[in-house]
Amino acid sequence: EPEVTQTPSHQVTQMGQEVILRCVPISNHLYFYWYRQILGQKVEFLVSFYNNEISEKSEIFDDQFSVERPDGSNFTLKIRSTKLEDSAMYFCASSEEGQGNSPLHFGNGTRLTVT
Amino acid sequence: GNSVTQMEGPVTLSEEAFLTINCTYTATGYPSLFWYVQYPGEGLQLLLKATKADDKGSNKGFEATYRKETTSFHLEKGSVQVSDSAVYFCALRGYNFNKFYFGSGTKLNVKP
């Protein structure tokens, strides 16, 4: 069964550094998402992406965050200058359709630790 | 607005016990409803879904019925196993909107 893959599985970085989290969505999916989960807490929406542009973003997704689909397979999340509170598990997801009953398919996540 | 409320955990059960995890929702229009499961160290996996009122989603012995009159989608399983220990998330997605709304998750611990 096709799956969403994320790399790296764990990233440690110092406060103020830039990080790029990488994802390969399922190949025939058109809608891409980033969610994050601070340890033991709720799954929070960050951003959705379709047709090479952001379709929706949350308040968390400020100017320090950006997303990109640099080629036909990768989908990346960049945090420009990391803060301690960015430490979380970041999940990429993709969906065949952009609404209704089409489910999200999640990757296994990247654990980001900011020191 | 749109939101999902789940019962707080953790829920601790003995093997073969009956499981119910409550989920209620608020939504505009007619959302689709989902249950996801997260095993330790892994991402969220779709467990089951229901797309309209009175639909029953089922998978791996779990089931949930879309109840429009009570705006609920409670997860049930007749006989839990140790391997069911995980965090369970209820979620909704609207007919005409993109974003999924997740509940806060309910941790299930099943003891042998």
Side-chain angles (χ1 to χ4, degrees):
Chain A
E1 188 177 324
E3 56 182 31
V4 176
T5 56
Q6 290 186 244
T7 54
S9 55
H10 192 185
Q11 173 90 46
V12 181
T13 189
Q14 288 191 327
M15 197 167 52
Q17 295 296 304
E18 175 183 286
V19 293
I20 297 177
L21 310 183
R22 301 181 191 278
C23 169
V24 179
I26 294 173
S27 61
N28 65 331
H29 287 186
L30 300 177
Y31 297 83
F32 314 121
Y33 307 81
W34 285 99
Y35 281 79
R36 80 173 186 190
Q37 184 182 32
I38 294 172
L39 186 62
Q41 296 185 26
K42 200 166 186 167
V43 177
E44 301 175 297
F45 170 76
L46 293 178
V47 66
S48 59
F49 190 87
Y50 169 70
N51 200 26
N52 279 322
E53 59 183 29
I54 290 173
S55 47
E56 190 174 357
K57 61 183 181 179
S58 71
E59 292 174 353
I60 302 167
F61 195 88
D62 61 20
D63 292 345
Q64 293 301 310
F65 291 86
S66 62
V67 289
E68 192 178 29
R69 187 153 164 82
D71 53 44
S73 59
N74 289 285
F75 179 52
T76 61
L77 173 69
K78 183 195 294 187
I79 309 175
R80 241 178 295 281
S81 176
T82 50
K83 303 188 280 282
L84 293 176
E85 54 265 37
D86 293 328
S87 295
M89 197 76 167
Y90 287 80
F91 292 105
C92 175
S94 68
S95 176
E96 201 169 351
E97 300 287 338
Q99 59 193 28
N101 61 21
S102 182
L104 289 183
H105 296 261
F106 285 85
N108 280 341
T110 293
R111 180 171 298 284
L112 176 65
T113 303
V114 182
T115 61
Chain B
N2 302 297
S3 66
V4 176
T5 302
Q6 284 181 241
M7 64 187 288
E8 287 198 23
V11 173
T12 301
L13 295 173
S14 298
E15 210 165 20
E16 300 183 3
F18 184 86
L19 167 72
T20 301
I21 299 178
N22 289 340
C23 170
T24 57
Y25 68 90
T26 304
T28 53
Y30 303 99
S32 294
L33 302 173
F34 304 81
W35 276 100
Y36 281 82
V37 58
Q38 185 180 31
Y39 298 102
E42 297 184 14
L44 281 74
Q45 301 174 25
L46 178 67
L47 182 59
L48 54 84
K49 70 177 186 181
T51 58
K52 60 183 188 298
D54 300 324
D55 266 4
K56 180 185 282 188
S58 60
N59 186 24
K60 299 180 182 179
F62 292 89
E63 55 183 39
T65 302
Y66 189 141
R67 301 279 188 211
K68 190 164 178 291
E69 63 277 11
T70 54
T71 61
S72 64
F73 192 54
H74 304 323
L75 183 68
E76 295 181 336
K77 187 174 185 184
S79 176
V80 293
Q81 305 301 310
V82 173
S83 57
D84 294 326
S85 297
V87 181
Y88 293 81
F89 291 90
C90 186
L92 71 83
R93 188 187 214 184
Y95 174 75
N96 60 351
F97 55 82
N98 192 358
K99 194 168 78 176
F100 271 65
Y101 292 83
F102 284 90
S104 54
T106 302
K107 186 170 184 179
L108 171 65
N109 294 318
V110 181
K111 296 183 184 288

